[in-house]
Amino acid sequence: MMKIRGGYILFELIIALALIGSALLLFGQLLSRAPTDQGGQAKWIADTEVLMEATRQYWHHTGAAPASVEQLQDNGYLATIQSPWGRTWSFNSTNNVSGRLLTLQIQAPSVSEAQWLKTQLAPSVVQHHTVSLMIWQPISDIHAARYLHRVPRVDAPVLNQLETDLDFAAHDIRHVGIIEATDVTVDQLQADSLVVRNLTGTWLTADHISTQTFNTLDGSYYTLRNQLQQLQQLWDQCVASGGCR
């Protein structure tokens, strides 16, 4: 009877050891998936926010969204960070909206852990094990495309050019240095100094015109003037001699 009881005790001991071993194995797996303390989780969140801000800064300065975390690090926008669960963040622009939305994604070990990370970061969405963070193009860059720039944008040359006509609604443009144009149409032109290489017009009204050469349909104005002066001198001589009346 005692031997049978001893057999039961040994069998129960083996079961207990097996349960303890399973519990230790499960605990080790949990330790490999999660940080050992709340400070580790806080580090995940803080570094992820640093990553998002570095993405916006890179996008703002270069005019283009980054393609990878390594690109941010190689260009000095991001130092080494600690990603959740030791996994790698990736960029996804597949569902980009007019080039203005970038998705930062990471694969969680489980759906529950993905849901936990979602509660820590916004704006984010979860689909199965995938956590996606939405990063929009910096608003200043979106608005910049709508305005003229007072200084050149060497990082975005397209912003230095117009793509449409401007209607100033009779408002003035003042203190212009040089205007280069193929065709100019105006109702009235006022200038303290005007240099024209080729002028064609229907009529011209001026208080004073000073030119080096002045050609008309009948020839050079200065040639005609000299001829008229010569004719006037001949006429005056003829009148003086009493022969012309």
Side-chain angles (χ1 to χ4, degrees):
M1 189 69 178
M2 290 298 295
K3 291 181 180 181
I4 296 176
R5 181 58 182 171
Y8 278 118
I9 292 174
L10 179 61
F11 179 72
E12 292 170 354
L13 179 61
I14 293 173
I15 293 177
L17 290 175
L19 292 175
I20 293 174
S22 298
L24 290 174
L25 178 62
L26 180 60
F27 183 69
Q29 291 177 346
L30 291 176
L31 288 178
S32 64
R33 293 183 179 180
T36 56
D37 52 30
Q38 294 297 323
Q41 292 181 337
K43 176 67 173 173
W44 288 357
I45 305 306
D47 282 3
T48 301
E49 292 175 348
V50 169
L51 171 59
M52 295 175 67
E53 181 59 26
T55 301
R56 297 187 188 97
Q57 290 295 326
Y58 180 92
W59 202 342
H60 173 69
H61 292 156
T62 66
S68 65
V69 174
E70 290 75 17
Q71 187 175 20
L72 294 174
Q73 294 172 333
D74 293 342
N75 287 276
Y77 286 86
L78 184 67
T80 302
I81 61 172
Q82 182 178 347
S83 301
W85 310 292
R87 304 193 175 191
T88 303
W89 287 102
S90 62
F91 290 104
N92 185 0
S93 59
T94 303
N95 297 322
N96 205 337
V97 181
S98 301
R100 297 177 179 176
L101 176 64
L102 185 65
T103 305
L104 190 61
Q105 295 181 329
I106 196 170
Q107 296 292 323
S110 66
V111 175
S112 60
E113 288 171 293
Q115 292 292 343
W116 169 81
L117 185 60
K118 176 185 177 182
T119 62
Q120 306 300 311
L121 299 168
S124 61
V125 295
V126 170
Q127 186 176 12
H128 302 299
H129 292 65
T130 304
V131 181
S132 301
L133 302 178
M134 307 304 174
I135 303 178
W136 290 91
Q137 179 183 7
I139 195 69
S140 58
D141 289 347
I142 298 174
H143 288 173
R146 303 178 182 177
Y147 300 101
L148 292 174
H149 287 269
R150 302 179 68 178
V151 295
R153 283 286 299 271
V154 294
D155 59 320
V158 69
L159 297 182
N160 303 324
Q161 300 176 353
L162 293 178
E163 296 183 0
T164 184
D165 297 332
L166 295 179
D167 185 351
F168 285 90
H171 292 285
D172 300 333
I173 300 179
R174 302 178 182 275
H175 307 295
V176 177
I178 297 176
I179 296 178
E180 296 182 5
T182 303
D183 185 21
V184 177
T185 301
V186 296
D187 294 329
Q188 183 180 10
L189 177 62
Q190 296 179 352
D192 295 331
S193 178
L194 181 64
V195 178
V196 181
R197 294 186 179 90
N198 187 4
L199 176 63
T200 301
T202 304
W203 55 267
L204 175 65
T205 300
D207 296 331
H208 175 76
I209 296 179
S210 177
T211 65
Q212 295 178 349
T213 60
F214 183 55
N215 296 324
T216 69
L217 295 177
D218 297 323
S220 170
Y221 164 77
Y222 295 107
T223 300
L224 293 174
R225 183 195 64 180
N226 293 334
Q227 292 175 349
L228 287 174
Q229 288 177 347
Q230 292 174 3
L231 291 173
Q232 184 66 43
Q233 291 174 358
L234 291 174
W235 176 260
D236 293 340
Q237 291 174 2
C238 182
V239 171
S241 63
C244 295
R245 299 293 180 183

